[in-house]
Amino acid sequence: MDDIESRIVELVAKSKNLPVSDVRMDTTFDELQIDSLDKINLSFAVEEMFSIEIPDESLNALKTVGDVVRGVETLRTAAPPDAAKA
């Protein structure tokens, strides 16, 4: 398990008071009883944890823990569009 994956799995497990062993990459938010408000709160925590910004329209596409991990990996490798202006 890589660093991003392990940190997100720990975050999700902690947010639902579950053992880390109950959260896998293919675990769905439905299985974890994560509703839309939980998803928003998790997205804020992930944004802070990895210093990224998750587009609001992307939240609906997130269905599994693995979706979040892949999204973070993508956002961390993509250069921010305003980087040249900063």
Side-chain angles (χ1 to χ4, degrees):
M1 193 180 310
D2 68 18
D3 183 53
I4 293 173
E5 181 180 344
S6 62
R7 290 171 68 187
I8 289 174
V9 165
E10 287 175 27
L11 177 69
V12 171
K14 183 178 174 186
S15 75
K16 298 308 282 183
N17 294 317
L18 295 168
V20 171
S21 60
D22 285 359
V23 181
R24 300 171 319 280
M25 289 285 282
D26 63 346
T27 304
T28 67
F29 291 148
D30 287 341
E31 290 172 321
L32 296 170
Q33 297 180 349
I34 291 176
D35 60 23
S36 57
L37 182 58
D38 290 332
K39 201 185 285 191
I40 290 168
N41 290 333
L42 277 171
S43 72
F44 287 143
V46 168
E47 286 177 334
E48 187 173 313
M49 181 180 285
F50 294 102
S51 301
I52 58 172
E53 188 171 324
I54 300 170
D56 292 339
E57 61 274 7
S58 297
L59 289 180
N60 290 334
L62 302 175
K63 305 290 184 207
T64 67
V65 174
D67 291 343
V68 178
V69 172
R70 286 184 291 277
V72 168
E73 290 170 345
T74 299
L75 288 169
R76 290 193 67 186
T77 58
D82 293 339
K85 297 177 188 175

